[in-house]
Amino acid sequence: MVMWIRAYDEAQGLWQYFESDEAGWVLRQVDLRGDDGTPLTAASLEEVLRFQERADIATMSRYEQRYGLVAEGRLTGWEETSLAGAISAEEFERVWLDARRTLGATAPPSDTDR
C-alpha cells in the first residue's frame, strides 16, 4: 500500500512530502522551503533509476540539479514526530505537480530516449 506523508524538518526549515511504498521506501519526494514554500526538490525514484541506468553522467547531473534526489533509506518513526502526518494522495499530487511545474515540468531527455 502506498503512503503519503508530510513532515517538517526544523533543522533544515523544510516541509517534506513523501510518497512511499508499503516497506517505507521513498518513491517520490518534494521539499518546500518552510518560510515561503519555494520548491527545492521534486524527485522520483523511478526517474532517478532510469537516468542512472540509461543516461550519461551529464544528463543525470542535470536531473539532480533541477529536481534533486529522493531520500535514501526507509521512512521510519515519522508517526511519533509532532510535525509529521499522513496526507491524502490528492494533496501529495497537488504539491508534486506544482513543484514539478516550478522546477521545470519534465526531466531532461537522455540520449537513449530519442
Side-chain angles (χ1 to χ4, degrees), residues 39-86:
L40 304 175
T41 301
S44 158
L45 179 60
E46 180 182 329
E47 290 173 350
V48 168
L49 293 175
R50 185 178 73 233
F51 281 107
Q52 284 177 343
E53 291 173 0
R54 298 173 52 194
D56 58 36
I57 293 170
T59 302
M60 186 61 219
S61 179
R62 285 192 306 273
Y63 179 90
E64 184 176 345
Q65 288 172 0
R66 181 175 288 171
Y67 299 112
L69 296 174
V70 296
E72 293 184 20
R74 294 177 42 207
L75 295 175
T76 59
W78 63 268
E79 302 92 338
E80 290 86 37
T81 305
S82 64
L83 296 174

Side-chain angles (χ1 to χ4, degrees), residues 13-17 29-43 64-68 94-105:
L14 295 176
W15 279 105
Q16 297 183 299
Y17 293 77
Q29 177 176 342
V30 176
D31 295 337
L32 304 178
R33 197 165 42 216
D35 58 349
D36 63 4
T38 299
L40 304 175
T41 301
E64 184 176 345
Q65 288 172 0
R66 181 175 288 171
Y67 299 112
R94 181 188 55 75
V95 171
W96 170 261
L97 292 172
D98 288 346
R100 289 298 284 223
R101 216 176 348 266
T102 299
L103 293 174

